[in-house]
Amino acid sequence: MDLSSISPTLLLASLMVAATPILLAALGELVVERAGVLNLGVEGMMITGAICGFAIAVNTGSPLLGFAAAAVGGALLSLLFALLTQIALANHVASGLALTLFGLGLSALLGQGYVGIKPPPTGKLDIPLLSDIPFFGPVLFSHDIMVYVGLALTLAVWVMLKHTRIGLILRAVGENHDAAHALGYKVVRVRIMAILFGGACAGLGGAYISLIRVPQWTEGMTAGAGWIALALVVFASWKAGRVLLGAYLFGGVTVLQLNLQAAGVALPVEYLSMSPYVITILVLVIMSADRSRAPASLGRTFHASG
Amino acid sequence: MKLTRLLTGAALALGLAGAAVADDKTKVGFIYVGPIGDGGWTYEHDKGRLAVEEHFGDKVETVYQESVPEGADAERAITQMALQGADLIFTTSFGYMDPTVNVAAKFPNVKFEHATGYKTADNVSTYSARFYEGRAIQGHIAGKMTKSNIIGYIASYPIPEVIRGINSAYIHAKKVNPDVEFKIIWAFTWFDPAKEADAATALIEQGADVILQHTDSTAPQAAAEKAGGVITFGQASDMSEYAPFPRVSSIIDNWAPYYIARTQAVMDGTWESVQTWDGISTGMVGIGEITDAVPEDVKAEALAMKAAIAAGEYHPFTGPLKKQDGSDWLAEGKVADDGTLLGMNFYVEGLTGEIPQ
């Protein structure tokens, strides 16, 4: 065992990379669930975003355009879910699961011509001066732009939900859609907007995997990240700050366990492999002891005649 | 009563007609563990399938199913393929071993071929390639090329096949570079690009400047390219999109000749249960082009080793070798027997860490 071979600086830096896809997807799902909609299609939207972003980035040579396309792709797919659940009043759970399966199939189809191709590299934002600071430089100031987008989005979602009128309406719709409707808010419209936002965020998360973290396209490459994001929202008790904490914790332990293995720690590998899940759930369960609960209308179908 | 009999008769006639139609084409099925676009293991098996189609033309029909999870669900997928009328089914991952044997017992007229397993039956053959021969060559190049003396190894599952590869690569890296050290990460997956990329990154951050892998995607190549100055090898497939650097050579699985021969055997009615384990000598294991990133002399040595293995003059597991715990395994000049290699569950001396049980 040689723990000194693990560099805390590099560990923290790669933690942020490992956490970003889950963070992006979970933030989107947080907003969706706060509006009272349970969309289990995160995995499907992520993988669709992964291929849309990859295809556009390869064809245009611009990773940023790729990310934009990923957001659009994810949102378009989530529109299908919005139509099913908000207009056709289909069951949320079944529609969400169907969306995941559909997204996995659709992405495999779209991606057929993109196997074995390398995407254009996404540059790192080496901020002058700041990135030269020992320790903090590499950890905080020399990432690709999407890491900062993830952080900024966390802040934005938190402010939006907590301190703005839009957030208030969104939460009202999620807590009691009948009351919100009686007050004159357009419940269906609010929810569709939230679903589209969730789809766009999931798409960004997927594209982060295919354009930066891996970077290449292969079928099924999100490998369950969408489900982890879903679980994270619940364990973070629908709070943006805790989603960030959970995502970084999960990403951190994931990277740490690989590093511990490489350093030859004498712990059985199976325990190390499950540790990200166990530790993240444990910490968030302990933190959610303040009885935060799910939005009251979560997963319930709304119709104005109700 | 009459109607029932009539219907039964009609059904029988239809069934016979169906069988007659099926008979003039040999149907060959393939069960894959990953997507055919993985760029590695499954991709090469599918190239073998396409070669069968090309070779036999209208005389065969091939079917395949991708991304079949190992374990119970595999049994369902294999059964379904047998029910669809496949005459010969190749199941191409170690974890399909028991499902294959189980299904084979239910379909005595269908021939089964299981890749990398060791259980056989009257209608079940096994086939595998001596990848360790290729890994010996990779190990040699790796040992010569590493500057940090740290070689990272992304392992999949703790099965003999994978352990054999680690040992073979280590023995030959150590032989040319006594200071070399292996850092091993068990990924517990054959195919998960994000995890493979993370594992490669973790190894690189801990100083590895050579990454060997026993997982199927090209994600480690991409991670190495991003890190710069790290060399990798193609696994299962050439992965030449990353040549000449970071990918400096590769082990290529070439299943096509075997698949064609076995399909021919089914057509001729000469198929028998066999245990095939071929390597460099028959071309089942290929060594991808060694690029100019490797110094001339190292390249020459690697090619000489390849020639010696092909000619049967050199065996990668030749004594003196000890096990990890220091106990004797092979005496000077002794060569490992296939039984030990097929069931290998120990590290050789010098490797650190434990094999997950």
Side-chain angles (χ1 to χ4, degrees):
Chain A
M1 177 170 23
D2 180 19
L3 284 182
S4 62
S5 60
I6 303 176
S7 146
T9 318
L10 291 174
L11 189 70
L12 285 170
S14 49
L15 162 171
M16 295 175 79
V17 172
T20 299
I22 317 169
L23 174 66
L24 287 167
L27 278 176
E29 181 65 13
L30 171 78
V31 170
V32 175
E33 294 195 11
R34 272 299 186 93
V37 179
L38 183 64
N39 185 356
L40 297 182
V42 181
E43 178 84 3
M45 300 186 296
M46 276 186 94
I47 191 85
T48 305
I51 183 56
C52 289
F54 191 84
I56 299 299
V58 166
N59 287 323
T60 62
S62 157
L64 284 182
L65 274 179
F67 278 107
V72 172
L76 277 180
L77 191 68
S78 71
L79 191 61
L80 188 67
F81 176 82
L83 291 175
L84 281 172
T85 56
Q86 302 308 308
I87 311 292
L89 306 184
N91 178 287
H92 288 191
V93 172
S95 309
L97 291 175
L99 195 72
T100 285
L101 297 173
F102 178 66
L104 286 170
L106 180 73
S107 63
L109 182 71
L110 291 174
Q112 279 187 342
Y114 291 96
V115 173
I117 294 178
K118 285 185 273 184
T122 312
K124 284 189 172 184
L125 285 182
D126 272 323
I127 305 166
L129 294 178
L130 281 180
S131 57
D132 296 334
I133 307 172
F135 187 72
F136 289 105
V139 172
L140 292 176
F141 301 114
S142 58
H143 287 288
D144 52 86
I145 187 162
M146 291 310 290
V147 167
Y148 304 108
V149 169
L151 287 169
L153 204 62
T154 313
L155 188 69
V157 165
W158 177 75
V159 170
M160 190 270 288
L161 285 174
K162 192 117 184 161
H163 297 290
T164 68
R165 189 175 151 76
I166 304 172
L168 200 63
I169 298 171
L170 187 97
R171 282 188 289 146
V173 166
E175 290 297 338
N176 190 333
H177 50 215
D178 291 322
H181 175 66
L183 285 170
Y185 296 123
K186 309 281 187 212
V187 173
V188 171
R189 194 179 300 167
V190 169
R191 286 189 170 167
I192 289 179
M193 300 302 278
I195 292 169
L196 287 177
F197 176 77
C201 287
L204 283 180
Y208 192 83
I209 297 180
S210 66
L211 286 177
I212 298 179
R213 188 166 163 208
V214 172
Q216 58 177 218
W217 164 252
T218 35
E219 276 173 44
M221 68 183 312
T222 48
W227 297 109
I228 294 163
L230 260 172
L232 203 60
V233 175
V234 178
F235 285 112
S237 45
W238 294 271
K239 289 194 166 79
R242 287 186 196 168
V243 165
L244 178 73
L245 175 86
Y248 274 28
L249 198 63
F250 184 84
V253 184
T254 305
V255 175
L256 179 67
Q257 70 99 356
L258 291 171
N259 272 285
L260 287 177
Q261 272 202 53
V265 168
L267 258 176
V269 177
E270 291 86 346
Y271 290 113
L272 290 174
S273 298
M274 72 166 109
S275 58
Y277 304 90
V278 175
I279 293 174
T280 309
I281 289 174
L282 266 183
V283 169
L284 290 174
V285 162
I286 292 167
M287 285 200 56
S288 61
D290 63 357
R291 291 169 178 259
S292 301
R293 53 174 185 82
S297 292
L298 183 61
R300 282 173 51 204
T301 304
F302 170 77
H303 190 261
S305 66
Chain B
M1 182 67 188
K2 243 182 181 170
L3 184 68
T4 330
R5 197 179 291 170
L6 199 70
L7 283 177
T8 321
L12 251 171
L14 269 177
L16 285 176
V21 170
D23 266 350
D24 60 0
K25 265 194 180 186
T26 305
K27 194 166 182 177
V28 187
F30 294 82
I31 302 279
Y32 298 141
V33 72
I36 56 173
D38 67 355
W41 177 260
T42 296
Y43 174 71
E44 287 298 324
H45 282 286
D46 200 56
K47 264 170 66 177
R49 178 185 72 84
L50 294 172
V52 169
E53 280 198 337
E54 196 179 327
H55 184 84
F56 292 106
D58 287 345
K59 285 189 283 180
V60 296
E61 180 193 349
T62 65
V63 287
Y64 66 91
Q65 193 171 351
E66 302 170 83
S67 302
V68 176
E70 298 185 329
D73 197 43
E75 199 158 326
R76 181 193 58 75
I78 302 166
T79 305
Q80 200 176 352
M81 205 164 264
L83 285 173
Q84 281 171 3
D87 302 295
L88 172 64
I89 298 177
F90 294 96
T91 55
T92 64
S93 191
F94 182 78
Y96 299 150
M97 180 163 66
D98 289 328
T100 304
V101 173
N102 292 346
V103 177
K106 286 184 237 158
F107 294 91
N109 294 325
V110 181
K111 314 295 184 210
F112 293 85
E113 299 253 355
H114 178 242
T116 73
Y118 51 82
K119 292 185 185 169
T120 58
D122 284 344
N123 59 336
V124 180
S125 284
T126 58
Y127 64 104
S128 183
R130 295 177 186 266
F131 306 114
Y132 66 86
E133 296 181 347
R135 288 194 188 276
I137 296 166
Q138 287 185 350
H140 181 92
I141 300 174
K144 284 271 187 177
M145 298 275 290
T146 178
K147 293 188 184 71
S148 64
N149 293 331
I150 298 173
I151 293 175
Y153 202 111
I154 306 169
S156 47
Y157 293 99
I159 58 172
E161 163 73 45
V162 178
I163 296 164
R164 212 158 51 225
I166 296 172
N167 283 333
S168 179
Y170 179 74
I171 291 166
H172 293 86
K174 188 87 175 173
K175 210 177 253 179
V176 294
N177 181 352
D179 297 327
V180 86
E181 180 196 348
F182 267 38
K183 285 182 186 272
I184 300 164
I185 289 184
W186 292 92
F188 283 93
T189 177
W190 289 115
F191 181 75
D192 180 346
K195 195 167 190 181
E196 294 171 47
D198 286 349
T201 309
L203 289 166
I204 293 166
E205 284 173 0
Q206 292 201 17
D209 61 355
V210 178
I211 301 286
L212 297 169
Q213 70 184 92
H214 204 134
T215 50
D216 297 344
S217 87
T218 49
Q221 268 74 24
E225 187 171 58
K226 202 155 61 170
V230 176
I231 74 168
T232 65
F233 296 85
Q235 153 68 9
S237 187
D238 197 32
M239 302 189 176
S240 58
E241 65 264 34
Y242 288 96
F245 196 83
R247 170 229 165 271
V248 298
S249 183
S250 59
I251 310 180
I252 306 172
D253 312 347
N254 181 11
W255 307 108
Y258 184 75
Y259 285 166
I260 290 171
R262 300 303 281 171
T263 307
Q264 187 70 53
V266 167
M267 287 176 171
D268 299 345
T270 56
W271 192 96
E272 275 181 356
S273 173
V274 292
Q275 285 188 290
T276 302
W277 203 21
D278 286 342
I280 288 177
S281 61
T282 63
M284 197 179 252
V285 174
I287 300 297
E289 194 223 343
I290 301 171
T291 67
D292 292 339
V294 179
E296 263 321 303
D297 56 326
V298 178
K299 184 174 173 178
E301 288 162 13
L303 289 175
M305 189 194 286
K306 181 188 168 190
I309 292 173
E313 292 158 6
Y314 177 66
H315 191 292
F317 288 101
T318 304
L321 284 174
K322 287 184 175 189
K323 295 186 182 180
Q324 187 185 28
D325 57 14
S327 62
D328 289 326
W329 176 33
L330 292 172
E332 175 85 42
K334 280 264 190 192
V335 167
D337 62 282
D338 280 359
T340 313
L341 289 181
L342 282 170
M344 188 172 262
N345 60 355
F346 57 87
Y347 281 150
V348 293
E349 189 180 37
L351 280 165
T352 52
E354 274 174 47
I355 300 170
Q357 293 301 322

